[in-house]
Amino acid sequence: MIAAGSTIGIIGGGQLGRMLAMAAARLGYRTVILEPQADCPAAQVANEQIVAAYDDPDALERLAELSDVITYEFENVPVDAAETLNESTPVFPPPEALKVSQDRVTEKRFLNKAGIPTAQWRIVENEGDLEAALLAFEGKGILKTRRFGYDGKGQVKFSGAKGEDAKAGFAAIGSVPAILEGLVDFTREISVIAARDEAGNIRIYDIAENVHRDGILATSTVPVSVSSTIAGLAADSARKLLEALNYVGVLGMEFFVLANGTLLANEFAPRVHNSGHWTEAACAVSQFEQHIRAVAGLPLGDTRRHSDCVMENLIGDDVAKLPAILAESGAVVHLYGKADARPGRKMGHVTRITKRL
Ligand code: AMP
């Protein structure tokens, strides 16, 4: 356990880092952020920022010196950097989790090996691979870059319509190593936020139902409208994954629910997750505090929900609605301290309590 007053290093300075730093402060910890962009959302509420690239050797040395434990808020932290840091200062979640989640092929293999079903998938290295994979999947699928995809970026959908061109599709994602996933005809998307501590204790929040717009999460609703069997399957998958990764911290895992009751994992993120922001308003211990507790070696907190709620992301110009939202009762607002409300940019979120339990 690290004592109150110790310092937690956070790699990445976005809104997730910001909310982690705020949770850390509430538990008496100091935070230092490694992020190349000065005055980033996380640094605005942290004790210190190292303004440097995530793989800058001097910056990493400084981060290790200042920190008693190090964590991260995004999954594209260079694995080498995390492994180097881990030699002198504990890094949680384990760098292995980064390695697995950074590449969609490694991720799918790991999930399948852990007994967690996913959509069918094929490796795509070139146009020929894509043509063959599309043939195997009856022309339908989603082509995704293996690395550095987020919020639906680097993806091309093939719906089986005439005239869809594998060549153009591969070019559209930049002709980089990719994966073709079978097109899942899902009825709902759900996610689970789960935590594990070093001793292996696991705590799982209630499942959320997610709606995406333009590939970006729009809303998360709790409780879900799926059966308790499906919700139980999602929680079991998270448990399997946490154990297979010997994980410490919070992770988010997304799933597709099919009409026939099948549950397929889409992907996981080795960090706190946008679809878990509702926990801040509807649980005694939020996902952010839970993550800080796990990485600091404190006992994990209660994940029970005290209210039903809907979390809505405030994207781009949505922030203009703020005065009206603030006038609502039961609306918990969180803004990220970003100056420009560009289209598609997550500026904040609001969680509306719909019912107290
Ligand atoms: P991802 O970047 O993998 O989270 O994908 C973003 C969104 O695209 C998902 O939340 C789904 O709405 C949709 N999507 C991703 N993969 C598939 C798939 N294999 N089949 C159908 N829809 C998908």
Side-chain angles (χ1 to χ4, degrees), residues 104 107-108 119-120 141-144 149-153 155 157 180-186 189 210-217 254-256 264-267 273:
R104 291 191 190 270
E107 182 182 32
K108 290 275 191 305
Q120 53 178 346
I142 300 210
L143 180 68
K144 301 181 180 179
Y150 71 99
D151 285 349
K153 292 193 172 59
Q155 301 189 6
K157 183 173 170 179
L180 185 77
E181 294 179 13
L183 190 61
V184 179
D185 186 16
F186 58 82
E189 292 188 85
N210 303 317
V211 174
H212 292 86
R213 232 168 272 136
D214 302 325
I216 305 175
L217 182 68
E254 296 179 85
F255 300 87
F256 302 121
L264 298 177
N266 175 23
E267 61 183 6
H273 195 260

Side-chain angles (χ1 to χ4, degrees), residues 4 13 28 53-55 100 110 141 158 209 214 233 250 267 345:
Y54 308 123
D55 58 356
V100 173
F110 196 89
F158 294 91
E209 183 166 335
D214 302 325
L233 278 173
V250 163
E267 61 183 6
R345 194 172 197 210

